[in-house]
Amino acid sequence: MNVGTFPEYRPRRLRGSAALRALVRENELNARQLILPLFVRGGKKVRKPIGSMPGCFQLSVDEFLKECADAKAAGVNAVLLFGIPDTKDEKASGAYAKNGIVQKAVRAVKKEIPDLLVVTDVCLCEYMSHGHCGLVHQHSGGATVKNDPTLKLLARAAASHAEAGADIVAPSDMMDGRVRAIRTELDARGFDQVPIMSYAVKFASAFYGPFREAAESAPKFGDRRSYQMDAANGNEAMREAALDVAEGADILMVKPALAYLDLIYRVKSEFGYPTAAYAVSAEYSMIKAATEKGWIDEKAIVLESHLAMRRAGADIIITYWAREIARWLRG
Ligand code: PBG
């Protein structure tokens, strides 16, 4: 940018009044772009607080429906579902069971609130006894997550969500080739109109800590570094996103959000696809904790940080504050 030609130019001329600032504002938050993540579990009238995420709960389906209605009333048009099954096993049966917890919740909400967009997280970790996102092969040298055999299960899970009525499926497992496997299965079963929002750029991140309490999905051994990305790598993130585009992803997600704004920017600039940012659990917990201590102004901090995600290029923001933001925006 050459600023030498107009040495007398003063940006503050555009900041004189609220109306002037509004006139030249480049980005804004909008409730229609927000997705609220919710955790569903079995039982009735269950509303189990998640200790590290004040204001978030594990909800039985009846309570989940109330939460959806409340979100809709606030102006939020989309929810993202995570399931906490009653039992877990070594092949994640609960992830693709016709009567699995997510499948039940999706059927219920599509019946009660048909115009609420329902996105389902497609992963196996919540349903695996060992907590990994794929099938695990135990051997003398330790344990390895088996990529290719996992694809079939992910595709089955995605198709069962679509069958229950999910509007969008969102694979978060980070196995290679899963977008293609899911697209193929959805198309074969007549769900060619169901889009895939791919967790394209998902880092192995400490920012998921509180979520693992929420979803009861912490790995029992090892970590997720063999399938999630290294925080040091930006170019690799672009290769991951390119693969998902080639395999048929419709929406690309970057996760976490605040520490990875550079990648939201690069993914949006490079591919021009609808781009989602996921403001993950620890991003939520940190602000909540500082708010509880009276150290920060929650509303101002949340609006500013989510606006930064928009400025970086996010079209869609998945956030545990979706409802509050929608209400704040209405004033
Ligand atoms: C499942 C999944 C995770 C999150 C979303 N889907 C956890 C993980 O990968 O360990 C994290 C969301 C959050 O922290 O809010 N694979």
Side-chain angles (χ1 to χ4, degrees), residues 7-25:
E8 79 284 11
Y9 174 68
R10 295 183 302 165
R12 66 180 175 276
R13 281 180 193 139
L14 297 178
R15 295 175 198 149
S17 68
L20 253 176
R21 290 194 295 276
L23 187 70
V24 298
R25 186 166 296 137

Side-chain angles (χ1 to χ4, degrees), residues 213-235:
E213 177 199 338
E216 300 178 8
S217 67
K220 298 276 184 299
F221 51 82
D223 55 42
R224 303 208 203 287
R225 285 170 204 275
S226 72
Y227 42 103
Q228 297 182 349
M229 292 194 47
D230 183 337
N233 298 352
N235 294 325

